[in-house]
Amino acid sequence: DAQLVEAHGRAGLFRCCGIGDATEGRQRCEESVANKEWYGVDDLLSKDRKALQAWWRDEGKPVTRPFSCPRCGAFLAPLSLLFDENYDSHFFFEADAWDGWLDDADAVVFAGTSFSVQVTREALRRCRDRRVPIYNFNVDEPEKTVALANAARLRRGAGPPTR
């Protein structure tokens, strides 16, 4: 039973975005393929893999162009939820899993979020409605984050945290 749902994607994974020219006489990946397959660093073309690894080590030049899809040669995008996509746009994001977990959660932990996206707003709403405790582990808490987290605590009957 998985204990982690990656609702927004994962660093180091990529998917074909079907933009740019396919290379070497290949056809661009169909949308159905692009939405169901992803590539890890080891799958990248050699030149792209070397550029990324050098960038990770702070060696070499910054990455200035998208990597190429190993299947068709068009551009790769990071495997992350883009602004115009829904959580159920791609199977990788496991929208059904986190949706069910929110219904059954005894507590919800937030880490690294601005609380400005759908899943966090929905989680806060459900925590408020069900009086589920929340834990906020954001390192740099913008004023909005603190206000939203405190509002959820107050609605459950708990006061704001003391420092």
Side-chain angles (χ1 to χ4, degrees):
D1 202 81
Q3 297 296 308
L4 174 69
V5 172
E6 295 169 294
H8 283 263
R10 185 187 309 170
L13 293 180
F14 306 89
R15 63 185 168 109
C16 182
C17 62
I19 299 172
D21 294 328
T23 58
E24 300 171 12
R26 296 178 283 183
Q27 296 288 322
R28 278 193 199 157
C29 293
E30 297 288 329
E31 185 176 349
S32 61
V33 171
N35 287 341
K36 292 183 180 171
E37 294 187 12
W38 65 87
Y39 304 100
V41 173
D42 291 340
D43 300 315
L44 297 176
L45 299 177
S46 177
K47 65 180 175 56
D48 292 336
R49 184 174 54 255
K50 288 176 182 174
L52 181 60
Q53 289 169 338
W55 179 76
W56 281 344
R57 292 186 308 264
D58 277 337
E59 302 168 358
K61 298 177 182 176
V63 176
T64 58
R65 63 163 194 75
F67 300 130
S68 298
C69 174
R71 180 187 289 257
C72 75
F75 294 148
L76 285 180
L79 183 61
S80 59
L81 190 67
L82 301 176
F83 292 108
D84 63 342
E85 295 177 315
N86 295 321
Y87 286 94
D88 59 0
S89 296
H90 309 287
F91 80 98
F92 185 85
F93 300 124
E94 304 180 84
D96 291 339
W98 64 256
D99 189 53
W101 285 0
L102 285 177
D103 290 336
D104 299 332
D106 295 321
V108 175
V109 176
F110 294 101
T113 182
S114 66
F115 290 93
S116 62
V117 295
Q118 174 191 351
V119 68
T120 53
R121 289 192 305 262
E122 181 64 15
L124 285 171
R125 184 189 67 75
R126 291 189 197 183
C127 288
R128 178 196 65 214
D129 292 351
R130 293 183 45 237
R131 299 183 163 303
V132 170
I134 63 168
Y135 300 91
N136 181 11
F137 290 98
N138 286 292
V139 175
D140 181 26
E141 294 188 274
E143 199 170 304
K144 181 180 177 184
T145 300
V146 173
L148 285 168
N150 286 340
R153 284 186 193 94
L154 291 171
R155 288 184 185 104
R156 307 195 300 279
T162 57
R163 293 189 185 238

